Amino acid sequence: MASAAAPVAARPGGPPAQPAPLSGARLGLVAFALALGTFMMVLDTTIANVSLPTIAGNLGVSSDNSTWIVTAFAVANGISVPLTGWLMRRFGVVRTFCTSLALFTLASFLCGIAWSLPSLIIFRVLQGAVSGPMMPGSQALLISVFPPEKRATALGIWSMTTLVAPIMGPILGGYISDNYHWSWIFLINVPFGIFTIAICWSNLKDRETPTAKVPIDTIGLALLVLWVGCLQVMLDLGKNADWFNDPMIVVLTVIAGVGFVAWLIWELTDANPIVDLSLFASRNFAIGNIAFCLGYAVFFANILLLPLWLQTQLGYTATWAGLVAAPSGVVAVLLTPLSARLSGKIDARILASIAFVAFAISYWLRSGYTTYAGFWDFVFPLLVQGVAMSTFFLSMLTISLDRIPPERLPSATGLSNFTRIVAGAFAASMITTAWDRREALHQGRLSEAIGNNVPYQMASEGLANLGLNATQAAAVITRQMVGQAYLLASTDLFRLSAYLSGALLIIVWLCRRPSAHGAGPVAAD
């Protein structure tokens, strides 16, 4: 088995020495373990969603209360992700990542043995809080163990796991809930977590990054907890609370807004900020993250919208709704290695453009759906989406991390993941609200068009001939009208997504061309 060479010597007055990359079978094993760590964390952001009714019934609580299972994880994770940079500067990248992974595995076990809703919510808070460094940590370590010329390969591996996990979450969660006890959606993490910890610690403990006793920015941390917590709760509960018609949502929004402004001012002026916002001085990091977040928000919104429509209006089970999306993940996994190979040879902005064009085509094809569409009608546009997924994450990461020096990668990846998580939270809330409101609009228009006119009378007479009375006939017609309204609402949002994806092409080309290996100083440009 090949082993790593000795660390490369640092130049006098330069940045700390960086350990030499791994090679051979050891590199492959470590890369697999790091990818598995990312997969587990991302999977847990979506796997519980489809299982909420099952969990609520088993614990004897209402479906509304069970949503706190998702909210608790999202709030805690949203707060902990931006702290990654500080934690890794203070304790080291390897130690922080492995500790986070160990605590995540323990929290998953506790979630699996939870005996009541309050206990499950507490354990989900713990799980979300300790999982913050896992995604940025695995990303930074993957980049560090690969040679600079194979950085695109490292990002490609990380991208594949990030792409597949959200798609696998509903499938796996639905299958487990339908066939086994819900606790296995959490307990399944335990053996994989132990395996990943053993591989990562045994192979990476001698590659620990330099540490420093960085002061704790207590005020910055307190403001971060305040505004992120209020924002996540507002986004998760806003729809059921009728948004700004509810005083609690208004108060949460005001606190989140004021807290964010205060936090921003404090972090930009403090000598040792908890989050390194100076990274946004780099044009590619700033503009690249804007395009990344907006593109991910549109992508994530559509990941939620299609299964929601399939399950609530077209009679698909959670498992089958997940299987509709599965082929796009397969295409992404198959094409990502090719994209990684091309990334070092082709301008990343071109690959990003391919992704946004493919996304736009996929969403546009979906805008032509009808209520008679079958399984394969839904699958084909998602195959096109798979092409987009194979280049999207890789190209956007290449652009946004361009010229970020190795010692600042943990902060950069943590901040990038944090902004993307917030964008996803906004997308999830906005898409479901917009869907319901567009449905109400179309239902009102259809009601006005039908009224008591000839088409309605003909439909009523036809249903009467089948043995339905007037009330039953009206109910059937109303149900058809609601189905058509939701169809029109869905196609409206798919079409809007296509337009937004096309518009994001412009933002991508505002970035400068990334350098060959992405290393270098970060400067305002």
Side-chain angles (χ1 to χ4, degrees):
M1 182 177 294
S3 60
V8 178
R11 282 177 281 181
Q18 299 299 320
L22 300 178
S23 60
R26 186 181 179 191
L27 174 62
L29 182 63
V30 170
F32 174 76
L34 289 170
L36 184 60
T38 301
F39 183 85
M40 287 194 303
M41 186 269 153
V42 179
L43 187 74
D44 264 50
T45 62
T46 59
I47 193 172
N49 295 20
V50 297
S51 306
L52 290 183
T54 303
I55 297 174
N58 186 267
L59 296 179
V61 298
S62 68
S63 296
D64 287 344
N65 287 334
S66 69
T67 59
W68 279 102
I69 298 169
V70 176
T71 303
F73 182 91
V75 171
N77 183 252
I79 292 170
S80 62
V81 167
L83 302 179
T84 299
W86 181 87
L87 289 170
M88 291 183 175
R89 288 197 307 272
R90 179 66 180 84
F91 301 106
V93 176
V94 178
R95 190 176 294 109
T96 301
F97 174 76
C98 290
T99 302
S100 174
L101 187 56
L103 292 174
F104 176 82
T105 304
L106 174 62
S108 297
F109 173 75
L110 294 174
C111 289
I113 64 171
W115 54 90
S116 64
L117 181 64
S119 65
L120 180 55
I121 291 173
I122 291 172
F123 296 144
R124 282 286 278 176
V125 169
L126 175 63
Q127 189 185 39
V130 300
S131 65
M134 287 176 63
M135 278 184 69
S138 67
Q139 188 176 347
L141 287 171
L142 271 171
I143 293 172
S144 71
V145 299
F146 275 83
E149 65 273 13
K150 292 187 177 180
R151 187 177 190 180
T153 303
L155 292 176
I157 292 171
W158 188 86
S159 299
M160 277 195 291
T161 57
T162 309
L163 289 167
V164 175
I167 294 173
M168 286 296 298
I171 300 174
L172 191 58
Y175 180 80
I176 291 175
S177 297
D178 292 343
N179 297 279
Y180 303 98
H181 193 269
W182 62 265
S183 60
W184 282 102
I185 67 176
F186 302 112
L187 295 176
I188 196 173
N189 289 330
V190 176
F192 293 107
I194 294 172
F195 167 80
T196 306
I197 295 165
I199 296 299
C200 291
W201 182 250
S202 62
N203 286 279
L204 299 175
K205 62 183 178 181
D206 58 346
R207 299 172 58 85
E208 187 59 274
T209 56
T211 60
K213 291 188 176 181
V214 184
I216 300 177
D217 177 16
T218 52
I219 295 179
L221 177 60
L223 289 172
L224 179 70
V225 171
L226 177 67
W227 79 262
V228 173
C230 290
L231 177 67
Q232 287 281 7
V233 173
M234 182 271 288
L235 291 174
D236 284 351
L237 303 184
K239 182 175 180 292
N240 291 335
D242 197 21
W243 290 107
F244 300 111
N245 292 320
D246 188 303
M248 182 186 72
I249 299 300
V250 174
V251 171
L252 288 172
T253 305
V254 171
I255 294 174
V258 173
F260 171 73
V261 173
W263 174 79
L264 196 63
I265 295 171
W266 180 268
E267 294 298 279
L268 290 173
T269 56
D270 189 64
N272 296 287
I274 197 77
V275 179
D276 186 7
L277 296 179
S278 67
L279 287 161
F280 285 107
S282 167
R283 185 172 77 185
N284 273 19
F285 187 81
I287 301 176
N289 268 293
I290 291 172
F292 196 7
C293 290
L294 293 176
Y296 179 78
V298 176
F299 166 69
F300 192 71
N302 281 274
I303 283 182
L304 294 177
L305 178 59
L306 183 60
L308 183 64
W309 179 44
L310 292 176
Q311 291 180 69
T312 59
Q313 301 301 317
L314 300 185
Y316 278 63
T317 63
T319 303
W320 276 102
L323 290 174
V324 168
S328 66
V330 174
V331 171
V333 169
L334 293 176
L335 291 182
T336 296
L338 175 62
S339 300
R341 186 177 294 271
L342 292 174
S343 181
K345 304 174 182 178
I346 298 177
D347 188 341
R349 295 173 299 179
I350 295 177
L351 291 177
S353 299
I354 292 172
F356 285 122
V357 169
F359 273 135
I361 293 172
S362 173
Y363 301 145
W364 186 263
L365 289 172
R366 289 181 232 187
S367 68
Y369 283 152
T370 69
T371 51
Y372 300 103
F375 181 84
W376 292 108
D377 297 314
F378 296 122
V379 167
F380 178 70
L382 291 174
L383 294 176
V384 179
Q385 177 179 280
V387 176
M389 292 162 62
S390 68
T391 60
F392 172 65
F393 276 77
L394 177 59
S395 59
M396 296 313 304
L397 284 169
T398 301
I399 292 171
S400 60
L401 297 180
D402 176 48
R403 294 178 174 85
I404 302 292
E407 65 272 13
R408 300 188 72 185
L409 274 176
S411 295
T413 54
L415 190 53
S416 178
N417 279 287
F418 169 65
T419 55
R420 188 165 50 81
I421 288 171
V422 172
F426 270 104
S429 297
M430 291 173 66
I431 196 69
T432 51
T433 301
W435 192 53
D436 285 337
R437 292 187 177 179
R438 293 298 295 178
E439 184 277 333
L441 173 67
H442 286 299
Q443 186 178 337
R445 290 177 176 175
L446 290 172
S447 298
E448 293 174 2
I450 294 175
N452 291 315
N453 295 331
V454 175
Y456 180 83
Q457 295 174 359
M458 292 177 62
S460 298
E461 290 172 1
L463 291 170
N465 292 334
L466 295 175
L468 276 68
N469 59 36
T471 302
Q472 292 171 329
V476 170
I477 295 171
T478 300
R479 179 66 190 87
Q480 287 294 318
M481 187 170 59
V482 169
Q484 289 293 329
Y486 272 115
L487 166 67
L488 293 171
S490 301
T491 55
D492 284 349
L493 295 173
F494 290 141
R495 194 174 298 111
L496 176 61
S497 298
Y499 293 146
L500 291 173
S501 296
L504 287 172
L505 281 170
I506 301 172
I507 299 180
V508 168
W509 287 94
L510 295 177
C511 299
R512 66 183 177 186
R513 178 170 183 163
S515 61
H517 306 314
V522 176
D525 53 352

